[in-house]
Structure formats: C-alpha cells, structure tokens
Amino acid sequence: MPISLIRFGEGSFWMPAPASTAAPAVDRVFDFILYVSIFFFLLIVALMLFFIIRYHRGRGVEAEKTATHHTGLELMWTVIPLILVFIIFYLGFTGYMNLATPPANTYEVNVVGQKWKWLFTYPNGHVDDNLHVPLDVPVRLVLTSEDVIHSFFVPAFRVKKDAVPGRYTNLWFEATEPGEYDVFCAEYCGTSHSDMIARVIVHPPGEFEKWLQDASNFLERMAPADAGAKLMTTRGCKQCHSIDGKSNIGPTFLGIYGREGVFKDGRRYTVEENYIRRAILDPQSEIVAGYEPVMPTYKGRLKDQEITAMIEYLKTLKE
C-alpha cells in the first residue's frame, strides 16, 4: 500500500484528509516527489551496498583503474532527472495557477492578523474570530496584518498565505466537506505565536446564511455586558489584557473601571467611559506608564453600540 494512503483517523500518514478542491493537486505533487525520492534513495543505497561488497579491495591487492567513459549511462542520468523535473514543474505550475486564480463568483471575506488572533470580516460588516463559509462555494480571503507578518494556513485545504502589514494578499478555496478545520499561523510572530489558532467552520447548504444573520444580531439578543465580553474575545483584547490581575502587554482589565493612574508624560488619569472610548479609538495618544504604544486603533472598526457594550463589560470586572 502506498505510504500516503495509510489511514490514521480521517487523514493520511502525511496529511489531514483533503477538504477543498485545491487539495488533490497539492497532494499529487507531494506524492510524486515523495515516491521519486524514496525510489532513488533505495536505489542509490542498494547500489552503494552492492558495490561495497562486490568491489571492496582485499588485503595485498593493488587498486586498479577500470572506469571508462560510457555515453549511454551519462545520457541516462541526465535525461531521466530532466524528465522528472519537467513533470514536477508541470504539476506544481498548474496547481499554483489554480490557487492563484480565483473564480469570478467568489464570496469575499476580509482577514486581519494581529498578535495573536485572526479576525474575519464579512460583507455585511460582522466580525468573527472564526471563519464561517458555505459548502461548495468559492471563498476569497483578502488578508492584511496589524503588526508583524503572519501566515494564514489551513492544512486540510492545502492553502497558506502571508498576511503582511501595509499591503493586501489574497487566497481562495472551495470547501468540499462540511465540518470544522484548524487554522494556524505558519510564520513565527512573537511569544504567543502557537496560540494564534482559529477554526474554519464549513456549513452545509442553507445553514451559512442563517448563521450569518443570527451572528450579526448578537447585540440585540444579548445583555450589554455579555455582548461586551464576546466583543473583547472576538476582537483580540484578551490577547494583551488579562482579566485576573496579571500584567501582560497591556494593563489588566480586572478592576480597571474607576482606577487611577499615570501616563508616560506624567499626567494623571481616571478610567471612566470617555477614557475607555479614547483608549479604544486613539490608543497612541495616551500611553500608560510602564507599557509600550503597541495597541492598534479600532477607529472605524467598532460601532458606538459595540464600544458601549465593552464599557459595560469592563464595569463588571471588579476586584
């Protein structure tokens, strides 16, 4: 049985189970290179052992030069690798062109990578920390980064693309199996790089639209503080701010409402509604002493109703 076909759970020995239209082309290139490498590795090792045993020099025997020019042999070890390289190029190039050329009718989602979270924005403005997509529909992702280079990687779909600060990149896929699939950051991006994990949820026909409508209206369905807690998680606030009193990249949220402190420039402050709003929309203008100005602005990314919900949540985090 071919090595790549040995099954372990739902995947193979080397790969998770393919779940997109692009996966078979990627697997073909991988398998071809793998089998060619295994074949020549075994051939070279077998010939090497044969020559060692057959032609080893015994004691008292002088070495004798016997090698001569052999045109046929030289042509063989030139032409065969050349043919293999052309096959690999053809398989790789056709697969690459397919991955680089999305269809005209793609569903588009904007993706932002930031330390250490993925955020997905849908055409209706809803933002989620997991990627939800419909089954059998081409999806185009437009990626960028808020801070450093991240790399969006879905092993089951065989797609990977860097998210680069100050520019946009894109990739597309078409999911062929409903279910949940891992999303990783494949570019080391700092201390919590390994925690930058999300999920792709592939919905069966008809369920994606229902999910999007329901998810987009969570502010109307939830109490303000509960909606604020959801927003804090979704927007990545808890990646840098703890809620248990421990210091992190930013000040802890525990007991933050009503807290007094000092900015880097010596001015004093009290945390109340207007301060929290300024800290969210213009975080670089007022830097708390002891912390670096690394928080991105959420101006234009959060609605007033969402900011109000986040403020109500912070009020509940009492020491």
Side-chain angles (χ1 to χ4, degrees):
M1 178 182 293
I3 292 177
S4 66
L5 297 182
I6 299 175
R7 310 304 294 183
F8 289 87
E10 296 181 357
S12 70
F13 183 82
W14 304 105
M15 302 276 198
S20 76
T21 55
V26 175
D27 289 355
R28 277 194 297 270
V29 180
F30 178 86
D31 288 342
F32 184 79
I33 295 174
L34 174 66
Y35 296 147
V36 168
S37 301
I38 291 173
F39 172 79
F40 280 104
F41 171 77
L42 295 176
L43 177 64
I44 291 170
V45 171
L47 290 175
M48 179 183 68
L49 293 175
F50 171 76
F51 292 143
I52 289 174
I53 297 171
R54 175 67 179 81
Y55 298 108
H56 76 284
R57 188 176 72 177
R59 292 182 178 179
V61 178
E62 294 295 327
E64 181 181 350
K65 181 179 179 182
T66 59
T68 60
H69 175 72
H70 195 294
T71 302
L73 185 62
E74 292 181 359
L75 286 174
M76 183 179 70
W77 70 45
T78 301
V79 173
I80 291 177
L82 187 62
I83 293 173
L84 294 175
V85 168
F86 274 121
I87 294 174
I88 293 170
F89 172 79
Y90 173 77
L91 294 174
F93 183 72
T94 53
Y96 169 78
M97 290 304 296
N98 178 59
L99 287 171
T101 311
N105 60 333
T106 54
Y107 183 84
E108 191 168 293
V109 179
N110 290 321
V111 183
V112 175
Q114 64 183 56
K115 297 179 181 179
W116 285 274
K117 197 172 188 64
W118 296 106
L119 295 177
F120 305 94
T121 304
Y122 297 85
N124 68 348
H126 175 66
V127 179
D128 205 277
D129 53 357
N130 286 308
L131 176 60
H132 294 254
V133 299
L135 182 69
D136 296 327
V137 173
V139 177
R140 179 174 179 263
L141 304 182
V142 180
L143 301 108
T144 190
S145 170
E146 288 284 351
D147 33 53
V148 298
I149 296 177
H150 302 281
S151 189
F152 184 86
F153 178 38
V154 187
F157 295 168
R158 314 294 195 262
V159 293
K160 181 163 71 75
K161 196 75 170 186
D162 284 354
V164 183
R167 61 172 295 183
Y168 294 100
T169 56
N170 68 84
L171 64 82
W172 79 277
F173 60 83
E174 181 178 337
T176 56
E177 296 290 338
E180 296 188 9
Y181 304 94
D182 292 318
V183 178
F184 299 107
C185 177
E187 182 77 25
Y188 181 70
C189 55
T191 55
S192 296
H193 161 70
S194 58
D195 296 329
M196 195 168 174
I197 301 173
R199 304 284 282 173
V200 180
I201 295 91
V202 180
H203 294 268
E207 293 188 11
F208 170 73
E209 293 77 11
K210 181 181 178 182
W211 168 84
L212 184 59
Q213 182 179 8
D214 184 63
S216 302
N217 297 325
F218 74 95
L219 286 170
E220 284 73 27
R221 294 184 290 101
M222 301 176 69
D226 293 336
K230 176 180 173 66
L231 284 165
M232 287 288 185
T233 301
T234 301
R235 296 308 180 99
C237 305
K238 292 181 180 179
Q239 303 293 94
C240 298
H241 301 271
S242 73
I243 58 173
D244 59 3
K246 295 180 181 178
S247 181
N248 203 333
I249 293 175
T252 181
F253 283 156
L254 182 63
I256 193 172
Y257 190 81
R259 181 188 301 161
E260 295 183 351
V262 181
F263 293 128
K264 275 191 172 183
D265 60 9
R267 291 181 296 131
R268 301 194 63 81
Y269 68 89
T270 300
V271 177
E272 39 75 43
E273 289 85 352
N274 288 311
Y275 168 82
I276 296 173
R277 180 183 175 82
R278 291 195 306 273
I280 293 173
L281 300 181
D282 190 14
Q284 304 299 320
S285 64
E286 297 174 330
I287 308 300
V288 176
Y291 297 94
E292 296 300 319
V294 295
M295 178 174 167
T297 177
Y298 283 83
K299 188 174 184 179
R301 296 167 58 188
L302 286 173
K303 303 173 185 176
D304 287 343
Q305 187 179 4
E306 292 174 321
I307 294 175
T308 300
M310 296 169 82
I311 292 172
E312 292 305 310
Y313 169 65
L314 291 177
K315 289 180 180 179
T316 68
L317 299 177
K318 299 177 181 179
E319 294 181 284

